[in-house]
C-alpha cells in the first residue's frame, strides 16, 4: 500500500504533509548513530574499496545507454539484443551479490520509505528524537545502495519492547534520492501488476 504523505511523520503529533509517495517494503538497512553530520564519511560502512569499481560501472552503464540511443535509429533488432544482454548482465550481477550475502538476516527489515525519509523498527531506548544517523539502504531487486544522513523525528514504542523510529533525510545526494525515487516507482508498478 502506498500513500502520498511523508513517511517519517507520525500522524498524531506532526502536521500532515503530502510531499512524497511512500511505500512499505523489505530492504537491507544499516544504521549508524552520528555525534555530528560532519562525522559521516564514505568509509563509515567499510566499503571504500568498492567505490572505484562502482564509479566504473556507472560510467559504463551511461556509455551503453547513450550508445543505445543512437543505435536504435539505425538497427532496432541489434538494439533489442544489446538491451537484452545488458539486462542479463544486470540480473547476473544481482544474483552474485545475493549469493555473497553482504547483509546479515537481521539487517533486512520492513520499512516505510520515500524520497524524504524512512521509518524502521529498532530497540526502544537506542534512538531518541533529534539523533542524527547515517543510513545505507540496499534496495532489491536492483540492489541500489543509497546513503543518507537522517534525523530522528519520533520514536514510537510498541508492546514488543521495540520501537518504530521515524526519520527524515537531512543530507542526501541527488543521485541517491533519484535511486530511491526509481525504487518507489518500480515498487508501485510491480504492485499494480499483481492486482
Amino acid at each position: 500500500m502506498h500513500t502520498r504523505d511523508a513517511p517519517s511523520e507520525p500522524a498524531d503529533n506532526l502536521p500532515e504533509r503530502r510531499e512524497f509517495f511512500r511505500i512499505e517494503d523489505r530492504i537491507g538497512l544499516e544504521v549508524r548513530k552520528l555525534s555530528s553530520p560532519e562525522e559521516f564519511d564514505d568509509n563509515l560502512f567499510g566499503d571504500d574499496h568498492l567505490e572505484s569499481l562502482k564509479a566504473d560501472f556507472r560510467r559504463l552503464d551511461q556509455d551503453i545507454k547513450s550508445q543505445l540511443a543512437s543505435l536504435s535509429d539505425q538497427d532496432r533488432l541489434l538494439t533489442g539484443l544489446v538491451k537484452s544482454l545488458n539486462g542479463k548482465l544486470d540480473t547476473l550481477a544481482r544474483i552474485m551479490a545475493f549469493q555473497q550475502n553482504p547483509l546479515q538476516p537481521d539487517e533486512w527489515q520492513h520499512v516505510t520509505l520515500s524520497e524524504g525519509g524512512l521509518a524502521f523498527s529498532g530497540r526502544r531506548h537506542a534512538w531518541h528524537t533529534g539523533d542524527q544517523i547515517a543510513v545505507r539502504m540496499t534496495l532489491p531487486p536492483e540492489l541500489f545502495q543509497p546513503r543518507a544522513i537522517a534525523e530522528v523525528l519520533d520514536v514510537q514504542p510498541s508492546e514488543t519492547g521495540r520501537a518504530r523510529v521515524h526519520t527524515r533525510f537531512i543530507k542526501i545526494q541527488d543521485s541517491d534520492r533519484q535511486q530511491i525515487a526509481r525504487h518507489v516507482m518500480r515498487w508501485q508498478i510491480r504492485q499494480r501488476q499483481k492486482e
Side-chain angles (χ1 to χ4, degrees), residues 5-19 22 118-119 153-154 156 166-168:
D5 51 3
S8 51
E9 295 188 2
D12 49 342
N13 60 354
L14 291 174
E16 183 178 350
R17 292 192 339 206
R18 304 262 179 203
E19 293 182 32
R22 67 179 179 175
L118 75 131
L153 297 176
D154 188 37
Q156 296 177 333
H166 299 267
T167 70
R168 72 177 169 94

Side-chain angles (χ1 to χ4, degrees), residues 38-179:
E38 294 77 31
E39 182 186 339
F40 181 73
D41 66 13
D42 288 337
N43 194 24
L44 187 63
F45 294 101
D47 66 348
D48 61 340
H49 61 285
L50 295 176
E51 287 307 311
S52 62
L53 290 174
K54 289 179 181 178
D56 283 347
F57 178 80
R58 286 189 292 270
R59 181 185 53 77
L60 290 169
D61 197 40
Q62 283 304 112
D63 287 349
I64 289 171
K65 287 178 183 175
S66 64
Q67 291 172 11
L68 275 176
S70 61
L71 181 63
S72 65
D73 295 336
Q74 299 169 8
D75 191 338
R76 292 184 190 265
L77 186 60
L78 183 58
T79 301
L81 176 63
V82 172
K83 282 183 179 179
S84 294
L85 287 173
N86 195 32
K88 186 176 180 179
L89 286 173
D90 286 345
T91 302
L92 180 61
R94 288 195 297 269
I95 289 169
M96 291 170 62
F98 272 122
Q99 285 177 339
Q100 291 175 353
N101 195 15
L103 296 176
Q104 299 302 313
D106 62 336
E107 292 177 308
W108 290 91
Q109 63 170 287
H110 292 281
V111 301
T112 304
L113 176 67
S114 81
E115 294 174 61
L118 75 131
F120 62 94
S121 178
R123 290 190 323 259
R124 181 176 291 185
H125 300 292
W127 311 103
H128 301 91
T129 302
D131 283 348
Q132 293 186 349
I133 58 176
V135 296
R136 179 170 65 177
M137 298 156 273
T138 301
L139 308 177
E142 297 87 3
L143 298 182
F144 295 140
Q145 285 194 315
R147 302 167 184 224
I149 295 177
E151 178 183 12
V152 175
L153 297 176
D154 188 37
V155 180
Q156 296 177 333
S158 70
E159 323 62 64
T160 64
R162 297 191 54 84
R164 192 74 174 163
V165 182
H166 299 267
T167 70
R168 72 177 169 94
F169 300 137
I170 57 175
K171 184 177 179 184
I172 185 170
Q173 292 184 0
D174 284 340
S175 60
D176 288 334
R177 192 180 299 274
Q178 289 169 8
Q179 285 180 343

